[in-house]
Amino acid sequence: MAITLVNPDGLPKIDVYRQVSIATGSKLVFVAGQVAWDAEGTTVGEGDLAAQVEQCYVNVGAALAAAGGSFDDVAKLTVHVVDWTPDKMPRLLEGIARAAAKLGTTPAAPATLLGVAALDVPEHLVEIEATAVID
């Protein structure tokens, strides 16, 4: 395994991700920001943050698999959410949980959550990008 995830002493323990990832692999994989498109380019879950988060994670998983990896190889995630407010957290977490069940893994790499004014099209509520390191 190329990635070791840790929560160092002195930093808060966050349920949905670890504070640090230590990468030792040799192949870097940069996954472009994934939005809630299916394979045909149709938006999934219009107006539904949880459904879009789920689709984004599934898309990241597909991109990682194409590179020979999985969420176990992710060193860093960045999540962009349109008009973010803390009251949206339960829907975000629901989408992550649904994606984790579908993917058979719990994405726990260090993550940054950014509120943004807009994404590529008005229908998209979230975009997720990943950096992975594969042995």
Side-chain angles (χ1 to χ4, degrees), residues 12-55:
K13 309 290 189 260
I14 307 297
D15 289 338
V16 295
Y17 67 87
R18 303 301 172 265
Q19 295 284 5
V20 176
S21 66
I22 302 164
T24 58
S26 58
K27 180 167 63 169
L28 292 175
V29 179
F30 300 93
V31 178
Q34 296 298 303
V35 294
W37 277 330
D38 63 15
E40 287 75 42
T42 302
T43 298
V44 172
E46 191 168 335
D48 182 343
L49 180 61
Q52 289 201 15
V53 168
E54 177 183 4
Q55 185 65 44

